Amino acid sequence: MTTAPASGPAAPAPGASAPAPEAAVPASGPAGRAPEAAAPASGTAPASATAASAPGAAPAPVVLAVIPARGGSKGVPAKNLAPVAGVPLVGRAVLACLGARPVTHVVVSTDDPAIAAAARAAGAEAVHRPAELAGDTATSEAAVLHALDAFEAAHGRTADVVLLVQCTSPFLTPAEIAETADRILTGAADTAFTAAPSHGFLWRETERGAEGVNHDKAHRPRRQDREPEYLETGAVYAMAAPGFRTHRHRFFGRTALVATDPARVLEIDDPHDLARAKALAPLLDAPVTPGFADVDAVVLDFDGTQTDDRVHLDAEGREFVSAHRGDGLGIAALRRAGLPVLILSTEQNAVVAARARKLRIPVLHGIDRKDRALKEWCEAEGIDPQRVLYAGNDVNDLPCFHLVGWPVAVSSAHDSVRAAARAVTATPGGAGAVREIAAWLLGPELDTPVRADAARTTPARTTTEP
């Protein structure tokens, strides 16, 4: 779809023609709305505001969440695509918005095709932002006004509430987004934003020395005797759409704040912030595991994932490893359910080949570039990598983690691998971790009905010796 650039740094005036958003593509990862929990998760898709209302009822309000996400970033290159817990920052923002009850539509405004693709994969629409609105001097308001015009032109409906959501706040929750939107929907305020309460004493350096900003330095009241102040988090803003069009700014009329948990407040501006986010994600994100509908294939590392990463040697130098029968049971159940299963291993090892033959699944081993081999396998099988679950345990699995939609670490994995994973098993490698993954997808009894495309998903060929 052709997008006409807006003239100047501001969006077209109300009533002027506007570029339409690029068509939305169904999510290729876990589809739809996440529960209002601490981290993006899978769930059911949001009901469109254009859906028919009950007879005689007023149409549901249109609540549009706009996520500005430029391709250029000086502090962190490709920042908006940086993964935290296995999900790109822009994807985390999309999933949080989809999980917020009042939100009816989610649009990512971007000048970058890769960000647009990631936005669509997460379930959002993508609006191409023209160059004049994507530079360092362009305001977030200008991007939101442009996206608002594009959305309304494409959908033929006027938004009632528009949200500005920043994907550089990785721990924003659906509940916070919902509460911010509700302040506008209920008429309690014209604008609203998230803020973190603080009882800190602020200081300012002056020519006379340090002076208290929010306190008299001669008087130090106890915490419980002081009213909290609030720090704007920069994560989400909500505005009544007609007022936003008039004032062209995120604050007008009556403004309300939504208090958030200070422990969850983090804005990613530099590599150190990104490293902190990756370290905090296992602590702050709600546990999330994929279901059967989220995955089209399962790819498994071998050493450390299907074994305990130890090798036993006899006097002749022959290698022995221990495998878990529960893992074999889980793999057999995945095959019966029609899911392709592949073993992908760096080691060229007869043990790996023998195990694959026993399990009757293909194996690629002796692979230097596991990510390249995985990509080629997905292309040959017609499988979207974003629909692949890859389970691994060490740093040579990280390139594959960045390729797939569901990177999974076993609980005994290296810390850096656990930090990059979207989900982590409770079971160590070699102790039934693959059986646990199979239970995520098929249920504890491993009895999900066979997929309709089962014939395609049980390839007989393998790269191992016969």
Side-chain angles (χ1 to χ4, degrees):
M1 179 175 295
T2 302
T3 303
S7 58
S17 61
E22 298 170 13
V25 174
S28 61
R33 189 184 297 269
E36 293 185 11
S42 59
T44 57
S48 169
T50 59
S53 302
V62 175
V63 179
L64 172 66
V66 178
I67 303 170
R70 294 188 303 144
S73 174
K74 295 179 180 178
V76 182
K79 175 173 65 176
N80 292 316
L81 290 173
V84 171
V87 183
L89 287 174
V90 66
R92 290 177 68 95
V94 169
L95 292 172
C97 290
L98 289 173
R101 171 187 37 77
V103 172
T104 57
H105 300 81
V106 182
V107 165
V108 172
S109 168
T110 185
D111 59 334
D112 186 286
I115 292 176
R120 295 190 198 100
E125 299 177 36
V127 169
H128 175 71
R129 195 191 315 182
E132 58 267 32
L133 297 182
D136 291 339
T137 60
T139 65
S140 296
E141 281 87 349
V144 174
L145 284 164
H146 174 265
L148 181 61
D149 283 338
F151 167 81
E152 292 183 348
H155 289 262
R157 290 203 61 182
T158 301
D160 299 291
V161 177
V162 62
L163 305 175
L164 164 59
V165 178
Q166 303 283 14
C167 54
T168 49
S169 296
F171 302 116
L172 174 66
T173 69
E176 291 166 345
I177 297 171
E179 188 174 352
T180 308
D182 280 341
R183 299 299 172 91
I184 315 302
L185 289 169
T186 60
D190 302 296
T191 60
F193 67 101
T194 52
S198 171
H199 289 85
F201 291 111
L202 298 180
W203 293 79
R204 178 190 298 116
E205 286 204 11
T206 71
E207 294 179 353
R208 298 181 299 276
E211 294 183 351
V213 173
N214 61 346
H215 68 286
D216 179 354
K217 64 181 182 181
H219 177 58
R220 306 284 290 186
R222 299 178 304 166
R223 176 187 175 92
Q224 58 267 38
D225 295 332
R226 300 174 59 218
E227 289 295 324
E229 294 172 309
Y230 292 87
L231 175 67
E232 186 176 331
T233 68
V236 59
Y237 304 84
M239 297 80 72
F244 180 62
R245 284 196 175 280
T246 299
H247 295 276
R248 307 176 79 80
H249 194 272
R250 72 189 74 178
F251 295 117
F252 55 86
R254 179 180 175 84
T255 298
L257 62 82
V258 173
T260 65
D261 181 359
R264 303 184 63 82
V265 176
L266 173 61
E267 190 167 3
I268 297 177
D269 291 320
D270 59 41
H272 300 291
D273 297 330
L274 182 59
R276 288 173 58 208
K278 291 182 177 183
L280 288 170
L283 301 176
L284 297 180
D285 282 354
V288 55
T289 56
F292 189 64
D294 301 324
V295 172
D296 286 343
V298 175
V299 179
L300 304 169
D301 174 46
F302 189 73
D303 293 313
T305 301
Q306 299 181 63
T307 76
D308 61 6
D309 220 16
R310 294 186 299 172
V311 178
H312 306 279
L313 301 173
D314 67 8
E316 264 95 64
R318 288 174 298 194
E319 294 186 359
F320 300 88
V321 298
S322 298
H324 197 277
R325 289 196 180 277
D327 288 346
L329 183 68
I331 289 172
L334 293 173
R335 290 180 60 252
R336 287 196 305 272
L339 279 174
V341 183
L342 170 72
I343 294 177
L344 185 56
S345 176
T346 304
E347 290 288 326
Q348 179 76 39
N349 196 318
V351 174
V352 182
R355 182 62 174 163
R357 285 197 300 271
K358 172 75 173 178
L359 297 172
R360 293 191 294 160
I361 59 176
V363 57
L364 297 170
H365 62 142
I367 302 297
D368 292 329
R369 283 285 306 275
K370 295 175 77 172
D371 56 334
R372 180 185 298 169
L374 176 57
K375 184 177 181 181
E376 291 173 351
W377 181 80
C378 287
E379 290 173 353
E381 299 297 325
I383 297 170
D384 180 357
Q386 288 298 305
R387 300 277 300 171
V388 170
L389 183 154
Y390 180 96
N393 76 301
D394 217 328
V395 292
N396 61 341
D397 295 309
L398 289 176
C400 292
F401 271 33
H402 299 152
L403 179 65
V404 303
W406 279 99
V408 173
V410 296
S411 67
S412 51
H414 188 273
D415 288 346
S416 63
V417 178
R418 290 170 54 89
R422 191 171 181 182
V424 179
T425 66
T427 312
V434 178
R435 168 64 171 80
E436 180 181 340
I437 291 169
W440 294 348
L441 303 179
L442 306 178
E445 297 182 4
L446 306 177
D447 58 359
T448 296
V450 175
R451 296 167 70 96
D453 57 352
R456 179 185 67 80
T457 60
T458 52
R461 60 182 176 81
T462 135
T463 60
T464 186
E465 63 273 9

